Amino acid sequence: MRKIPFILILNVIIVLTSCGQSSSGLVSGFVNHQGITTPMHQAHVGRIVFMSNTRRLKDCNESDFLSSFEIKESCNLNFTAFLSNSLTNYLHELDTTLTAEELIQKGNFQFSFIVDDSLLYTENLNLGAGLPAQKNENTILRKPFLSSTNIDSWGRFLWMRFYYRNGGEAALETGIHTLKIEIRPYLKNGEIIVGDIIAEGEINLKMAELEKVPEEQIAIQPIKEVSGWELSKDGYYEEKIRGLNEKIAQNRFKNITSVVVIKNGKLLIEEYFNGATRNTLHDTRSVGKSFASTLTGIAIEEGHLKNTDQTLSEFYDLTQFANYSTKKDSVTLQSLLTMSSGFDGSDNMFNSPGSEDEMQLTDNWVKFALDLSMDNTRKVGEVWDYFTAGVLVLGDIIDKSVPGGLEKYADEMLFQPLDISNYKWFYTPQNIPYTGGGLEMNSLDFAKYGQLYKNKGVWNGKQILSSDWATKTMINYFEGKPNQTAYGYLFWNQEFSVGDKKYEAFLCSGNGGNKIIVFKDQPLVVVITATAYGQPYGHSQVDQMMQDYILPAVIE
């Protein structure tokens, strides 16, 4: 796992007040960890206080507590909560019938972020946040919100979700604002039950003044002639793009490396940042998954695969893999293309046995995937869940089915017709191109791929991909199904809002904020590349770039 440094650091100390104990007492097996053993703890129970240093509580005094804080690079802000009881005992007050083990499997802390008296964001912490022993025993909760050393902590990621995904940055952008945090226990046992406030506190926050950006970093970058693209003569709202460039230069949009806009099949905008150039090969991570869909469509059109109803049993003797079931035999190419295969695997669940991280620890990724058991709660083709290992299996099927293998086939049938010659695959341990992600290209070549779909499979007058497949790819196969993600054939389906209008698009999307966006009813293809790998703001900042700057600049 590659780590990308996070710039802002926030250390908050939370002290809990009015934390009454259960009138019914504690059940057998629970320990009353009141833990109010120091005068400081006793004085601050139920409050939230903030500190910018990392000294131990026993070495600090109230003069170290912050009433205000300026958010800027290389500063720390931690939070500490002095609790009158352990989390387990708070959860017991919500349901006295559950054991301590059951309680921490079903509950955790809820955080609410209130800016200037307006509730901005509430999150029920993931059940995996915090160790069981801490939940059973600790009465002091201390975590970083911002850390100059990028401490790996759920506190940092909680802050980033509030700040980058849920309006925190915009609400705190200018002036001085009051941030109040409230902590409650929550329990999910059929329905979600939320307890009373067990800690609250506030601090005044201010954004650091931004340095003035030189004009050359704001100015729109001139486009040089380039083979394969005709330059657009259309106008656009240049001040919006200048504003975007300024935000990127100020690091308000972080780790952006390129923005390319194609309008009516012509190159309209081409901008590079943070050392990238026209020739940079961008590691776009899971953007590469969409290429597996394209190659599947070409292989079906060429007769190397029959159709999307083919099942795994036609390509593998699944009895030779672990956890065999007839349900595994029935997994279709269609379900692999729509991430609804029903395997017990998910990249969205921290402890999933079939996650990409677990797969990449093994020496045979196809075997890992096919050894997985099936999820008996899911019907094949019915429930979407992000499952990289399934795309890896799809790539293996393509490799087995096409002449010369996947790499040669992709080059001859897709890349050469698009006049793409400079690219890099990431490979599996078996030296097969990894269709789960990692395909590197320059931004203009990624734009060719997006325009291919906009053209219904045509490039330079040649039908590279069937029009039927391009159309099938851009269907939301989960429309009308509650709690399902909008998804096509390894393409995401998303709406972007500008004012009161919505613009539908299908897109390739990869970790870090990498996107190839193909608009359904607008003559637009947009490519954005970035290196914000593993950061919660990676995708949300791209949405903001699109809705506040790029679309308003180019839509007439």
Side-chain angles (χ1 to χ4, degrees):
M1 297 285 292
R2 282 175 275 188
K3 293 186 177 180
I4 303 299
F6 177 65
I7 296 173
L8 298 179
I9 301 168
L10 178 62
N11 301 323
V12 181
I13 298 179
I14 301 174
V15 185
L16 309 181
T17 57
S18 303
C19 307
Q21 299 172 26
S22 171
S23 59
S24 61
L26 301 175
V27 297
S28 176
F30 286 66
V31 180
N32 186 1
H33 288 286
Q34 292 191 33
I36 308 177
T37 58
T38 67
M40 178 178 291
H41 192 167
Q42 187 173 22
H44 293 92
V45 167
R47 287 182 51 209
I48 297 177
V49 299
F50 304 84
M51 295 176 66
S52 62
N53 58 40
T54 57
R55 68 177 63 182
R56 295 181 180 275
L57 288 172
K58 67 179 183 179
D59 299 323
C60 73
N61 53 57
E62 291 196 25
S63 65
D64 295 306
F65 297 166
L66 299 175
S67 60
S68 63
F69 181 79
E70 187 174 26
I71 300 176
K72 56 184 177 180
E73 295 183 11
S74 303
C75 287
N76 301 313
L77 191 59
N78 302 302
F79 77 83
T80 300
F82 297 99
L83 308 174
S84 68
N85 237 320
S86 68
L87 172 63
T88 308
N89 284 327
Y90 285 124
L91 295 175
H92 172 61
E93 295 179 5
L94 301 180
D95 190 330
T96 60
T97 67
L98 299 178
T99 66
E101 182 179 4
E102 290 172 331
L103 287 169
I104 62 175
Q105 290 175 347
K106 297 175 181 290
N108 211 325
F109 293 109
Q110 179 189 88
F111 279 74
S112 295
F113 293 81
I114 301 163
V115 177
D116 298 332
D117 297 323
S118 295
L119 177 62
L120 210 61
Y121 180 54
T122 296
E123 178 176 317
N124 295 330
L125 280 185
N126 185 287
L127 298 176
L131 299 175
Q134 296 171 339
K135 298 174 183 179
N136 287 331
E137 301 176 6
N138 287 9
T139 57
I140 294 178
L141 182 64
R142 178 173 168 82
K143 293 291 178 182
F145 274 158
L146 296 172
S147 166
S148 56
T149 56
N150 297 312
I151 295 172
D152 189 8
S153 166
W154 59 255
R156 283 184 58 240
F157 289 99
L158 170 64
W159 173 264
M160 287 192 283
R161 287 189 291 274
F162 153 68
Y163 193 72
Y164 293 110
R165 290 184 180 176
N166 294 281
E169 184 177 27
L172 301 170
E173 184 172 12
T174 58
I176 298 175
H177 302 272
T178 300
L179 171 67
K180 181 178 181 181
I181 297 177
E182 298 174 344
I183 302 178
R184 298 172 174 85
Y186 85 90
L187 191 67
K188 186 176 183 180
N189 190 21
E191 61 179 2
I192 294 179
I193 306 171
V194 181
D196 295 332
I197 295 174
I198 58 175
E200 58 185 338
E202 63 182 48
I203 187 171
N204 291 326
L205 294 180
K206 179 183 179 182
M207 286 296 298
E209 293 296 327
L210 298 172
E211 294 184 6
K212 187 175 181 179
V213 176
E215 171 60 25
E216 58 265 26
Q217 292 182 278
I218 299 175
I220 293 171
Q221 300 171 26
I223 302 177
K224 299 177 182 178
E225 294 289 338
V226 57
S227 175
W229 286 106
E230 182 180 349
L231 301 190
S232 175
K233 296 180 181 178
D234 288 349
Y236 58 90
Y237 188 12
E238 294 187 358
E239 283 306 306
K240 281 290 183 181
I241 302 304
R242 285 174 55 85
L244 174 63
N245 291 351
E246 183 176 30
K247 285 268 191 177
I248 294 172
Q250 292 172 332
N251 206 32
R252 303 302 293 273
F253 293 134
K254 303 175 186 299
N255 309 112
I256 304 300
T257 50
S258 74
V259 175
V260 168
V261 179
I262 309 298
K263 186 173 184 181
N264 292 311
K266 300 176 182 179
L267 180 57
L268 179 66
I269 296 170
E270 183 186 10
E271 304 270 325
Y272 298 99
F273 312 94
N274 294 310
T277 70
R278 177 179 277 182
N279 297 320
T280 299
L281 300 185
H282 301 279
D283 178 2
T284 57
R285 304 295 173 91
S286 289
V287 164
K289 287 181 169 69
S290 300
F291 287 77
S293 169
T294 309
L295 294 172
T296 301
I298 294 173
I300 290 175
E301 184 71 12
E302 294 289 310
H304 304 302
L305 295 171
K306 296 177 184 177
N307 52 54
T308 58
D309 292 329
Q310 285 189 273
T311 61
L312 288 184
S313 61
E314 297 180 54
F315 303 99
Y316 304 98
D317 179 0
L318 295 173
T319 62
Q320 301 303 306
F321 295 89
N323 299 303
Y324 171 72
S325 70
T326 55
K327 184 177 179 181
K328 192 180 292 188
D329 281 332
S330 68
V331 172
T332 62
L333 299 186
Q334 175 86 7
S335 70
L336 294 176
L337 287 161
T338 56
M339 290 203 179
S340 57
S341 59
F343 275 96
D344 186 12
S346 171
D347 295 318
N348 288 329
M349 296 182 63
F350 174 75
N351 59 349
S352 171
S355 70
E356 182 180 23
D357 288 343
E358 291 293 325
M359 178 182 73
Q360 292 189 355
L361 294 175
T362 70
D363 59 6
N364 189 319
W365 298 352
V366 173
K367 183 178 185 303
F368 168 89
L370 296 179
D371 276 344
L372 291 171
S373 61
M374 300 298 291
D375 184 340
N376 291 327
T377 67
R378 297 177 177 182
K379 185 177 179 181
V380 174
E382 292 294 324
V383 180
W384 182 93
D385 200 346
Y386 199 69
F387 182 48
T388 297
V391 189
L392 176 279
V393 170
L394 182 63
D396 188 63
I397 290 171
I398 297 169
D399 188 67
K400 292 174 179 294
S401 304
V402 299
L406 186 153
E407 184 168 10
K408 181 174 182 290
Y409 191 74
D411 187 67
E412 293 179 352
M413 303 301 295
L414 180 60
F415 298 144
Q416 287 186 29
L418 289 174
D419 195 25
I420 296 173
S421 58
N422 189 16
Y423 60 91
K424 291 182 181 179
W425 286 103
F426 178 60
Y427 294 91
T428 72
Q430 283 65 50
N431 204 36
I432 296 171
Y434 180 46
T435 49
L439 177 61
E440 299 182 18
M441 291 182 185
N442 67 52
S443 300
L444 292 179
D445 284 346
F446 278 124
K448 290 179 183 178
Y449 177 73
Q451 190 65 37
L452 177 69
Y453 277 87
K454 189 64 185 171
N455 294 346
K456 298 298 183 184
V458 174
W459 181 258
N460 282 344
K462 182 179 179 181
Q463 193 80 43
I464 297 173
L465 179 69
S466 76
S467 175
D468 179 62
W469 186 264
T471 299
K472 287 180 177 178
T473 297
M474 297 190 176
I475 293 173
N476 175 11
Y477 288 94
F478 302 94
E479 187 172 5
K481 296 182 179 180
N483 303 316
Q484 293 286 286
T485 295
Y487 205 72
Y489 279 176
L490 298 177
F491 273 69
W492 301 79
N493 182 209
Q494 182 176 344
E495 282 187 339
F496 295 91
S497 298
V498 179
D500 59 354
K501 294 185 178 180
K502 296 184 181 300
Y503 301 92
E504 185 180 3
F506 281 82
L507 56 153
C508 322
S509 182
N511 190 347
N514 292 283
K515 311 282 183 183
I516 305 173
I517 307 171
V518 182
F519 283 87
K520 185 175 180 181
D521 299 317
Q522 295 291 321
L524 295 171
V525 172
V526 178
V527 172
I528 297 175
T529 61
T531 57
Y533 303 121
Q535 301 298 339
Y537 56 79
H539 294 301
S540 60
Q541 70 177 1
V542 171
D543 291 346
Q544 186 180 351
M545 289 166 59
M546 289 297 302
Q547 295 179 154
D548 293 350
Y549 294 93
I550 296 173
L551 285 177
V554 301
I555 289 178
E556 297 175 356

